[in-house]
Amino acid sequence: MHCWTPTSDLYIGCEEGHLLMINGDTLQVTVLNKIEEESPLEDRRNFISPVTLVYQKEGVLASGIDGFVYSFIIKDRSYMIEDFLEIERPVEHMTFSPNYTVLLIQTDKGSVYIYTFGKEPTLNKVLDACDGKFQAIDFITPGTQYFMTLTYSGEICVWWLEDCACVSKIYLNTLATVLACCPSSLSAAVGTEDGSVYFISVYDKESPQVVHKAFLSESSVQHVVYDQQGIFLLVGTAEGKVFIINANSSSSFQIIGFTEVAKDILQISTVSLLETDIVEVMVLSSLPEAGRSRLEMFTLPTLLPQVSTTFADERGRLKDEIIHKYLYELEHALSSAVLGFQSNQIYGFCSQVPYICSYLLPEEEHTGIYILKPYKKVQSRQYGPGLLYLSSHGLWLITIAKCGILCIRDVYTLETFAWCRSHSHQGHGIQSMRISMDGQNILVNGRDDGTLVYLKWKRFGGHLASEILDYYQKLLISLSSAMDKENHYLSTTPKVSVDLGSDSEHTVIRRIRSRDIAQEAKAEVQVAMMEVEESCAKERSGGFQKQKASTDLSQDELVLTDVKKEIPWIQQKSQEAIKKEVNLFSKKRKEIKQGIKSLSKTILNMMEENDKLENIAKLDQQEFGLDLEELERLHDESQEEVAKMIKDVEMHNLAKSYLAELIKEECWNSMAVKGRALKCFHIPCVVENFPMKARTVEELKELERVLQQKKIEAECLKLRKEIVEAQSGVKLIKQRHEEDDEEEEEEDKTVKYSNLPNYLLGSLSTDFGVDTSLLSSQLELHSREEKINQIILLKDIIYKVKTVFNNEFDAAYKQKEFEIARVKERNVRIREIILDLELEEAVWQPEFEDCEKPERTLVVQDEEITAHKHIKPWHKAKELIVNHEKEHWLLIQDASTRLRALMDMMGGVLEVKKEDILRMVIPQPAFMAKPDAVWTEEERKQFKDYEKKVKELNEERDKYRKSLEAELKKLQNSIQESTQAFDEHLKRLFERRVKAEMVTNQEELKISNLAFSLLLDEELSSREKFLNNYLTRKQHEKSQTSEAVRKSREDLDVCKEHYDNLLAEDKVMDRSFKKEFSEIPGHQVDILYKLFKRRPRISKQKTHSETTSVVPFGELPGSGKLNKDAFAQLMKAMDELDNISNMPEGLDPLVWNHFCMTRRAKVENEQKVKQKAADLLEMATFLQKRVEEEEKVQQEIERVFHELILLQEEKVRFQLNLTIQILLKQGQVELENFQLVLEYSDAILINKNIIEDLNSVIRTQGQKKVASMMESKDVHKRILQIEWEHKKMEMEREDLNQKAWDIQMLFFSRDRQKYLNEPNYEALISIQIGIMEQTIAVLDKMHKKNVENCKKLLKKLGKFSNQKDIANYALSCNLREELVAVSERKDICNAMGSKLTCEKIVKERYENMMQQQKLTNISKQQAEQISILQTEVERLRMKTFPALVQM
């Protein structure tokens, strides 16, 4: 890491801790000296290497790996280190602001801090990042305000639930695995990789602290689960032990004991109900070898912490018979299982199939393993292994899976009533979830996406909400006392001094206890060692006795452990139990030891006496063994183990062999053409063939059917053409003869080609000689059957193309075999020549590789086996016999004097060959050993003959050597030429392979397009069928609703008629009242009429909503019972009004009785009218509902019908809009204009020839039209002249007529007529003036608005013009430079002399183009002038028309 200074110096920090300074001008490197403090502190940190450096005025700020920021105060060539700032994590990056008042700091986990310099420097945290993805989550009881998260590195965070803000953090500095919050207190338990459980107090949410640590075992903690009431904490480890811990902090989290289960624990589930005093526990584990799952259930009483000593043994293991432990197995594997609150039902999530099953537990007790059968099975509609959770009241079953969907199900029906996709399946879905006690808050943790999702209900109410809220209130009430007690204890408990960064110890009591145990064990071991040394000192001569004593000691005594190392709880319990056993059986142990010592002395004496005896009388060492039966038993056990291992190995080999046979049958034996490759001899080129399976009988039958159908269709098409053309008989006969001849010619040929061109056929299959005549055109594949037949034919074409190429490949393979054989044959002679010439050349011998002969991989060679071969005894004996016979034969051969003489004299041969001339040596005469001076004449002649023979032999050798070298070169050249020729052939075959693969891909692409169209067609058909069925059902529903509406209207009409009748009767009774009492005086009649109209007051009935809230199962309003009760109450009140006390004075009682009867009849009639009106209103409401339902059904029918029409149109459009494959030529095409069309959705594909023919016809017709237009042009000129003269004369005539008319008629304007005809002309003028003023005001307003817009636009254009001016100025500068360059180039060209011909041509073309453009502009101007003149003429002509004014 480095940083620059204002003086261009560079400071560099090294990994070794040195600080370098590099001068930017001289590049001189200076190592700065570190000034150590005189009295360093004990806790001084050793700064190793800086992570990042930033420069400041006094020196350099550097960050270390220990989370501190240091200040390097640099003076001259030395520096001093001071602590500047402390950060909780290692700092990874630092940078200053431009004004050097703010320092930005980033840690290694992503947190960002800002340090502000000043009189009072401040450090603020800008961004707080979590240390990795969340490993576990849980709600802090009761789950309505806070929740906790745990990362793998041991970071624990407390979050505020409302805004998901981090409240506080605590770091364990150890690898953590699981987290769980206690329901009965504000505490949490965290499991770690080293087997410890940390208990965190969250009584103060802003400062959580570790209050206790329990070191259970050395295996990692995988599961931490509290029961529903927070009584016990269940901890599952990787070695298959489940520890039960008292969850109360007041008991210092006492470890009650443990029980052993299967190793691979998947989930722990508990059931702790308020009305019971037991906690049921279920542990799910997997049996991967058997493909099953195991369930282990046991029961824990709530009083277990008080009587834990009776439930567990001395080693802390809970007794199975006391906790009622039962084993269950399932026939299929589960990924998760929970225990229902009914205690007799288990819910499981299958790991291999997408099902959720429920199982019923047996009511009677059992021993051993009980196999559970599924009671109910429901499809989960979630893929991947999932997990199950139960809500706090046990009526919701929550499922999560790899797909990322969370489903909430009813525990009885297992049906989903709420779901949410919280995570993506690409991030492997959901890892875990937690639900609060009241069920309103849900936390979902992703597996690999690093996200935590907080879910809330959109609508939370009704029966579902009431159940869980009621249980939540009951649970809080039952836990309130325990929570208050435990929380008070947590608030007063001091923080435990636990070193979170190292292996911490237990509490002080446990440390003392472990130290005492270790000391006692150490003392006992020392005593035992002293005893053994005393016994061994007496018998040093007997090594066997010493070894035996040490062995006995190692079996009985404890192993001394390091006192400083922390001991797990389970190991402590084991040591305590061993200590008790040692103290209990110490006397017996001493007696047994003494007996063993005396017995060993006796045996030693016997062995000494045995050594002194003769060999005949000596006993073997084994006979002194005391327990021969034990030795025999051990030998038998070893033999059984060996036999078992042999059987296991044989079964393993058998399974591998079976698997190998399956693979061989699938990938090798079933292939009609085995996959192999061919390699070139000299170039790195490999050609592979097409592995092919034999076509099945069904495929061949289907192909034969399609071929036969295509032939029939072709014949039918021919017959149709013949019928339509209606040719004559002679032509038909000739045509038939021609067809017969063509058929005979086609029988001789084996290949037919399609009439379609390759670019429209969509592939190059015809290049391989494949028949494509039966293929349908891609533009004619409309029906489903045609597409299926086309796919079958395309598959057949692919098969034929591969077959053609494989045949060529087989020919090349045979050619390579022939070439290799020929090279081998020539190499034999080459080796002989090299041997004769004594050359050190390697002979090149090509061989087939494994990819060229893949069948060799199926055979194991002896040299491939690296293990030592096991040779049976009889094989060894046979080899010894063979070796002995071979040695005997060699001895016989050495004894043969004849053969030895032949070898010495003639080299082992009777005739000297020509090839042996190079090895021939002429022996020297014997006299050559003497000096030359003593030779005789005869000897000198012999010496001359010897030299002559040697010279001749050397000449023969040279000739023969040259002939051999020429032959060797010829052979090597022939091998080189033949192999290179094969390589060239293989290169061409490789190109053929590429082309065949291209054709195969083209055909497969067509098959894929057709298959996709078939799938789309099937989907459209199924959608259409569904809509038809839905439409039929809705039409039937429409008929039912129409019938119901008709009946309702009839009933309403009848009811309305009855209501009208009753209302009429009521009015009649009201009108006839005075007539009935006409005999009495009038004032009494008025009083009676008032009493007649008077009605009793009745207490008003409650409304429907009030009644429903009070009595949910009461009578509905308007029911018969309520009406009868109201009528009876009314009659009862009428009885009070009919009392004689209410009778007016002076009225006859008989009249009063008649009046009461009349009034009662009137009240009864009114009550009937009210009842009938209520019935009428209810029937009208019912009818309105039925009409609305009918309208809804009708709208639904119309919608479905419209959708069906659109679907049918889409289906027709899909059948007509085909996807075809076209071959395009590869190359580049230069276009004149670049306005290319990129959207071809409305384009139509037609043949190219049609366009070309149409263009030729258009050109011909265009030329004809131009000629006719030129002819008619002259005629039109003469006609126009005549018409002009005619129009001139007519216009003169019209002018004369107009003048005459003006003289005859006086002009009288309409304004004058209006002035005379209008009576109030001034008012009319004022109205018009007001309208015009309003119009002017509106126009003025619009004008101002337009002026403002124009100003804004002018301002924008001004800015734009300024930008353009700047751009133009830059362009003008560039143009000036370009003009200078052009002038220079022009001078260079003028200096060169001649101009190029192309420049002249270009200049001439440019001048012609400019002239043509000028002429075009002139013609346009003239045309515009002509049009203006014609308009003016027409205007003048219209002006001369007379104005006929009505008088």
Side-chain angles (χ1 to χ4, degrees), residues 500-688:
L500 300 178
S502 61
D503 293 332
S504 60
E505 299 179 354
H506 287 285
T507 58
V508 178
I509 299 173
R510 290 177 180 167
R511 288 201 299 270
I512 295 172
R513 184 181 300 171
S514 61
R515 192 181 301 115
D516 294 340
I517 293 172
Q519 290 176 356
E520 292 176 2
K522 183 177 180 181
E524 188 175 353
V525 170
Q526 289 177 354
V527 172
M529 291 292 292
M530 291 173 63
E531 293 177 359
V532 172
E533 287 178 358
E534 291 176 358
S535 62
C536 292
K538 298 176 182 179
E539 304 168 354
R540 292 188 181 276
S541 59
F544 174 78
Q545 292 83 349
K546 183 178 180 180
Q547 183 180 1
K548 186 71 176 179
S550 63
T551 304
D552 295 338
L553 180 65
S554 64
Q555 292 178 356
D556 296 336
E557 299 297 332
L558 292 172
V559 178
L560 184 62
T561 59
D562 190 3
V563 180
K564 295 182 180 179
K565 184 179 179 181
E566 187 179 5
I567 302 174
W569 176 85
I570 189 170
Q571 191 173 348
Q572 288 183 10
K573 297 293 287 186
S574 178
Q575 290 181 359
E576 291 175 0
I578 292 173
K579 180 182 176 182
K580 289 181 181 179
E581 291 177 358
V582 168
N583 295 331
L584 182 62
F585 300 103
S586 59
K587 294 182 179 180
K588 287 187 177 181
R589 289 173 70 247
K590 289 181 180 179
E591 294 176 359
I592 293 172
K593 284 181 181 180
Q594 292 176 358
I596 291 173
K597 288 179 183 178
S598 61
L599 186 61
S600 63
K601 289 180 181 179
T602 306
I603 293 173
L604 284 173
N605 295 331
M606 294 173 64
M607 292 177 68
E608 290 176 356
E609 294 176 0
N610 185 52
D611 292 337
K612 297 177 182 179
L613 295 175
E614 298 180 356
N615 294 331
I616 298 174
K618 265 185 186 179
L619 297 176
D620 294 335
Q621 192 82 6
Q622 296 178 356
E623 295 184 12
F624 287 95
L626 299 179
D627 196 352
L628 297 177
E629 295 180 355
E630 182 67 17
L631 291 175
E632 186 177 357
R633 186 183 66 79
L634 292 175
H635 182 267
D636 294 341
E637 287 181 357
S638 64
Q639 291 295 330
E640 289 178 0
E641 289 292 331
V642 170
K644 185 179 179 182
M645 291 177 64
I646 292 173
K647 186 176 180 181
D648 293 341
V649 171
E650 289 177 352
M651 294 303 295
H652 181 72
N653 294 338
L654 181 62
K656 293 293 185 182
S657 301
Y658 177 69
L659 182 60
E661 286 297 324
L662 289 180
I663 296 173
K664 183 179 178 182
E665 182 66 28
E666 178 68 22
C667 304
W668 184 257
N669 295 337
S670 63
M671 304 298 289
V673 179
K674 272 68 173 181
R676 61 181 72 244
L678 267 180
K679 285 188 174 183
C680 294
F681 289 109
H682 304 290
I683 58 177
C685 180
V686 182
V687 181
E688 297 179 354

Side-chain angles (χ1 to χ4, degrees), residues 1248-1262:
K1248 179 181 177 182
N1249 297 329
I1250 297 174
I1251 301 298
E1252 292 177 351
D1253 296 341
L1254 185 60
N1255 289 337
S1256 62
V1257 172
I1258 291 172
R1259 291 192 192 97
T1260 305
Q1261 296 297 328

Side-chain angles (χ1 to χ4, degrees), residues 910-929:
L910 297 176
E911 183 181 358
V912 178
K913 298 181 181 179
K914 187 178 181 180
E915 291 81 0
D916 299 334
I917 193 170
L918 296 175
R919 293 188 294 270
M920 288 179 61
V921 177
I922 297 176
Q924 293 182 357
F927 60 84
M928 289 182 67

Side-chain angles (χ1 to χ4, degrees), residues 34 145 238 256 259 328 392 503 518 897 1000 1255 1323 1327:
K34 181 180 178 183
Q145 293 182 347
I256 299 173
T259 181
Y328 302 93
S392 59
D503 293 332
T897 57
T1000 303
N1255 289 337
I1327 292 171

